[in-house]
Amino acid sequence: RTEGAVTDLNAAFAAAVAKHQAGDLAAAERMYRDVLTHFPAHAPTLCNLGVVLVRTNRLDDAAQCYNLALAHTPGYADAHFNLGNLHRRTNRLPEAADNYRACLAVNPHHAGAAYNLGLVLVAAGELGDAVDCFRKVVRLEPGNADAYGRLGDVLLRTGQPVDGVAAFRKAVDLAPKDPRALYN
């Protein structure tokens, strides 16, 4: 083994993730890039590097990482989700919606993708589809007070006040001190 060479993908990836979780983004970036020099098609490393790049405001480079992950592993849900988040952040809502839908096609239980798709659909005025998304989130995460609040809001806006109030009440039950839930 050469000094510093990555020979064990799992160990190298885990070490990079540990730096990332500890908030040492510079070290995590170096370590992810080192992993990629030896394992260039490793989608989890590409995605995590993309997350670091987003956090350091290098959005084009992050998009490239996510797209490379999808090129190597087309069904990698996290790449679709992260690319959707990036598109949402840059106000490219149709692309974000496409990525969230692709994520949900791969992993129908991805509550984050369903929630963020709901937000994008609300922004696009597609309230009926947004209701479906937020209903899915509360089925997947019954303790998610914010999802109940979003659901209540969209239900009210689609002329379903009884269901909307019930969703708001559930939000308050789950988060009794949350000002938004109480206001709604």
Side-chain angles (χ1 to χ4, degrees), residues 23-59:
D24 189 348
L25 299 182
E29 179 179 348
R30 281 190 307 277
M31 294 169 82
Y32 288 137
R33 289 187 186 281
D34 191 36
V35 169
L36 291 171
T37 61
H38 300 282
F39 302 95
H42 191 243
T45 301
L46 286 163
C47 272
N48 284 12
L49 176 58
V51 170
V52 168
L53 294 170
V54 166
R55 295 223 13 231
T56 57
N57 210 30
R58 292 176 280 166
L59 304 183

Side-chain angles (χ1 to χ4, degrees), residues 126-149:
E126 298 175 37
L127 302 182
D129 291 336
V131 166
D132 295 339
C133 289
F134 294 125
R135 284 191 192 280
K136 180 177 192 126
V137 175
V138 299
R139 274 193 312 276
L140 293 170
E141 295 181 343
N144 188 330
D146 191 50
Y148 276 103

